Amino acid sequence: MIVYVGLTVIVMLVALLMKKYPARAGFDNRNVYVYTGITKRSMLNKICMLIIFIALFAVSALRLNVGNDYSKYVEFMHLTWSNAYVPTEIGFNLLTKAVYTVFGFENYIFVFAVFAFATVAFFLAALWEQSDDFYVSFAMFMLLGYYFQSLSTVRYYLALAMAIFSLKYLFKRDFPKFIVLVLFGACFHKSLLLILIMYPVCLMKWKKWMYGAIGLICLSCVFLQDLYLKIALKLYPTYEDTSYVSDDNISIISIARCVLVVVYALYIFKKSGNVEEKDRFYFHCNLGALLLYTFGSFMPTVSRIGYYLTVTQILLVPSLIKKTENEKLYKLLRIALFVGCIGYFCIYMKRASGNGVRLLPYETFLFHELPPTLSERGFG
């Protein structure tokens, strides 16, 4: 645990040094703002970001048998290399074969390192470019477990990182780049395709009839659960007859977080009277997630769908807090947010060795060896 706690403390202290000020700039003869060079501030930001990236990447890339799916992925890579059937997407399979071919042996360590590099890079770029308060967003990213969970479900969290990064293109209405990025990410986890529908819908200005239609859909979930479940299993047949279907998918913590965010967003929107497009989008995402968790909990792995919506909390919450006009309330909210996140982090670390997480004990290939896989034990 000391590795994770130490990493979190170090990167959050380094992040304190980062300030999102514009680089040196001036105005041309048309009075247009233009970039004219690099300042000490921008250089310091780049250095700090590099330190943070290296620290996060190193802990992820050096790990061995850390994460709930680590040994499963090693087995999938072996089967892919053996040209056997695997349930993983084509991007994962091609990456594995490419790495194994280049190195001439089953170098699964390097495959995990590639995923770590891309996941951390996409998340950090998205937070820096899109957050109104990078430090608060980054603190939520670390303390709410987004980084640490990426050590466990590597394909999905790469897709999640690409999802939040893709928002820059969505807000710019650069739909070709948005679609291409999503399609590329879906080559590693096909669930990413869902945001091709969910994100544009959340970007729209919802009319009253749309809220009514959503209400009817939620109501139908009460009476048509079996039908919707059959449709879901047709799309994801690998979940049939598994614990994903029988398990209780309701997350009280996720619901509570959505409720708090939605209620406070409504308060800020009412006070300001002017809602920015990105904040409205984030609000719709969290309202959609709340309805999904409440009425769609019978669906297999509903949390994976919900995460594409709730990940926007690390962008929305800092934006809402910065819009708080009352200075005393602003400070109290920041304190409450950090206390809550730290409390969540402590609970998460306490459970980090349990089934479904398996982040503890932390081991590295520098000092440890991977236990025999199924194929090596003769069961594959």
Side-chain angles (χ1 to χ4, degrees), residues 260-278:
L260 290 173
V261 170
V262 167
V263 170
Y264 189 66
L266 288 173
Y267 168 77
I268 292 297
F269 294 164
K270 184 177 180 180
K271 292 279 290 185
S272 64
N274 182 29
V275 182
E276 295 182 37
E277 181 183 64
K278 62 182 181 64

Side-chain angles (χ1 to χ4, degrees), residues 130-132 171 202-203 269 275-284 312 315-316 319-320 323:
Q130 301 176 45
S131 178
D132 290 339
F171 293 145
C202 291
L203 187 64
F269 294 164
V275 182
E276 295 182 37
E277 181 183 64
K278 62 182 181 64
D279 289 339
R280 185 181 67 241
F281 169 82
Y282 301 146
F283 172 78
H284 286 161
T312 59
L315 299 174
L316 175 59
S319 178
L320 294 176
K323 289 179 173 62

Side-chain angles (χ1 to χ4, degrees), residues 4-5 8 142-145 148 340-350:
Y4 299 140
V5 175
T8 303
M142 293 299 300
L143 297 175
L144 294 181
F148 296 105
C341 288
I342 292 172
Y344 184 93
F345 179 76
C346 293
I347 295 173
Y348 184 84
M349 284 293 113
K350 186 176 181 180

Side-chain angles (χ1 to χ4, degrees), residues 89-110:
E89 290 80 1
I90 188 172
F92 177 86
N93 301 339
L94 290 178
L95 174 63
T96 298
K97 287 189 175 183
V99 170
Y100 284 14
T101 299
V102 169
F103 284 90
F105 65 97
E106 298 187 25
N107 191 348
Y108 52 84
I109 296 292
F110 193 84

